[in-house]
Amino acid sequence: MASAARPIRNYLPGLLVLAGGLYTVYYYYMYWLRVYGALCIPGYGDPIKVEVTRGIWIRLDAILFPTVFGVILALLGVMLIWKKKFGAAVVALVLSATVINWPAFIMIAGGALLGLLFWRKTLLPTIDLPDKTMEWLNEETGAPVLKSFRRLPSERLVYSFRSGDGVNFVVKEMASAKEAERELNALTAAADREIPVPEAKAIDGRFLLMLQLDGFPFLQPLDFEAWIDEIAGILSNTHSAHIPEIQASRRDAEPFIPGWAFDRANWEQAAQIFREEAADASSVFIHGDFEPANVLFRDGRVSGVTGWTHAGSGPAQLDVGRMRVALELIHGGNVADRFLGTYKNLSKNRGFEYSRYWDLLAVYGWLEQNPGSIASHWRRFGITTLSEDEVMRRLERFVKNLTDKE
């Protein structure tokens, strides 16, 4: 029975508004024919060439406006059939007063009111979290406000929302329960070291609940120098913090030649350099996935760092390399080189050394995703000019520059 009622709920409001709009156009078209016919001599096709009173012309002019609104309402009816929108039903209800004929008014107003009744739930955002997770959030936060749920840019489910007492939270889906517990521990370790991170509150299976930080990823700065200074500064502070007991989940990338590679000889040379110049470094507290989408800004300053799934003890060069390749892809080599120079100046580790091995390691790490996924990842944050082909071209250019170095 419910399945039979669904088409009625979906289509009846739009059909009524469409019918009312079409009836309005028909009504005033016939009205115009009657007035025009009254001004014609029987048996002749031309209007009488006499002065017509001002009142008649005012009535003819008045036909135009409800006819236009009839056309608009007919189009609005088509839209309501195609997409069920609460806001469009409100517009249809308001415009129903413009048709100035009772049958059309009843159809349009009736369809709009049914739309308001049937689609009122569309005012709430779509929340794809399991019912069990929603119950858990209700217990942990105390009746979250459903209207406040907002899907955040991410490959997995990540929602920000507000609790009943006005506290802002984020619930994040992880790949597994183990990964959720790992990020919880990493966030706790970072917070203990006074690094600006979301405060972890609880986990439930693969879902992690934390307080929401003030700020958002900012990937298109006006002042690149200040932007790089902030990013390098927060990374330097992280690396100078006390080393945690947890080990970073390092990407054991192996050199390979992408199937899309144009200059295969260049990639073969890069693989040889990677093997010959393999290096290691002392461990510090690293983020493990340090790239622009994980750095939050507020009023031009870094307000926090997110995405600590891979964090732990490891070489600082892993964070530097991953950010350098990201900056190369998004903004070009000059920005990537400036970041490395700024980090070296700010780093408290005077024994820090960086070679092209770390850049190649970062390239192979990024290539765990295909170029299309890399481009779409940053497209969520406003980088719309980075296509799949452009990612391939910039990676190939970056590797070429590395192999050309002595």
Side-chain angles (χ1 to χ4, degrees), residues 88-379:
V90 173
V91 173
L93 182 61
V94 172
L95 293 183
S96 64
T98 64
V99 297
I100 324 177
N101 70 90
W102 283 108
F105 172 78
I106 292 172
M107 284 188 286
I108 295 170
L113 290 172
L114 287 176
L116 297 179
L117 177 64
F118 293 160
W119 305 330
R120 62 189 183 278
K121 289 186 178 180
T122 61
L123 291 174
L124 297 176
T126 301
I127 305 173
D128 295 325
L129 298 173
D131 292 340
K132 180 183 176 182
T133 302
M134 292 299 295
E135 293 174 2
W136 169 66
L137 293 177
N138 189 63
E139 294 173 0
E140 292 290 338
T141 65
V145 180
L146 295 181
K147 289 184 179 180
S148 68
F149 274 78
R150 296 291 182 271
R151 179 81 181 262
L152 300 181
S154 176
E155 295 175 1
R156 295 189 176 274
L157 294 177
V158 181
Y159 285 95
S160 66
F161 65 93
R162 187 178 67 256
S163 66
D165 54 3
V167 180
N168 293 319
F169 290 90
V170 170
V171 59
K172 178 181 179 181
E173 181 191 31
M174 311 299 292
S176 64
K178 183 178 180 180
E179 192 172 282
E181 184 177 3
R182 177 180 177 79
E183 180 149 351
L184 175 69
N185 294 333
L187 287 171
T188 302
D192 290 344
R193 290 155 178 77
E194 298 184 349
I195 300 171
V197 297
E199 180 183 344
K201 304 300 288 185
I203 57 174
D204 179 53
R206 68 181 189 278
F207 287 95
L208 169 65
L209 177 66
M210 49 194 163
L211 294 181
Q212 184 176 21
L213 283 178
D214 191 21
F216 54 91
F218 186 53
L219 275 63
Q220 295 177 298
L222 297 177
D223 187 343
F224 277 96
E225 292 187 5
W227 185 62
I228 289 299
D229 289 347
E230 287 291 318
I231 293 176
I234 191 63
L235 184 60
S236 175
N237 291 341
T238 301
H239 290 169
S240 62
H242 177 66
I243 302 175
E245 294 181 0
I246 57 176
Q247 292 290 320
S249 55
R250 296 183 59 171
R251 296 176 172 86
D252 297 325
E254 291 293 331
F256 69 98
I257 302 174
W260 47 262
F262 178 76
D263 187 351
R264 297 184 66 84
N266 179 46
W267 286 92
E268 290 173 356
Q269 184 180 356
Q272 181 179 353
I273 292 171
F274 181 82
R275 295 187 183 95
E276 293 176 351
E277 300 184 8
D280 203 353
S282 58
S283 292
V284 297
F285 186 17
I286 67 170
H287 179 273
D289 189 19
F290 194 68
E291 54 105 347
N294 285 328
V295 183
L296 306 184
F297 279 81
R298 181 70 176 180
D299 298 327
R301 304 296 300 272
V302 169
S303 60
V305 183
T306 61
W308 291 80
T309 308
H310 304 285
S313 173
Q317 289 84 346
L318 294 179
D319 281 345
V320 175
R322 189 157 179 84
M323 176 61 77
R324 268 178 53 79
V325 175
L327 293 175
E328 169 71 30
L329 292 175
I330 299 172
H331 294 301
N334 291 337
V335 178
D337 291 341
R338 176 174 176 80
F339 165 73
L340 177 59
T342 303
Y343 175 82
K344 286 181 177 179
N345 293 334
L346 295 175
S347 176
K348 298 179 176 62
N349 180 10
R350 295 307 170 189
F352 176 82
E353 294 183 356
Y354 195 84
S355 67
R356 54 185 175 177
Y357 163 80
W358 299 106
D359 279 336
L360 289 172
L361 179 62
V363 168
Y364 296 134
W366 275 109
L367 285 176
E368 291 177 358
Q369 308 173 59
N370 63 65
S373 297
I374 295 173
S376 63
H377 169 65
W378 288 313
R379 194 174 298 124

Side-chain angles (χ1 to χ4, degrees), residues 37-75:
L39 296 175
C40 293
I41 300 175
Y44 294 86
D46 296 326
I48 301 176
K49 295 182 180 180
V50 295
E51 183 179 355
V52 182
T53 63
R54 181 179 179 82
I56 291 177
W57 283 114
I58 290 175
R59 292 195 68 186
L60 292 176
D61 187 57
I63 294 173
L64 176 64
F65 295 101
T67 305
V68 170
F69 281 114
V71 174
I72 294 173
L73 283 161
L75 295 175

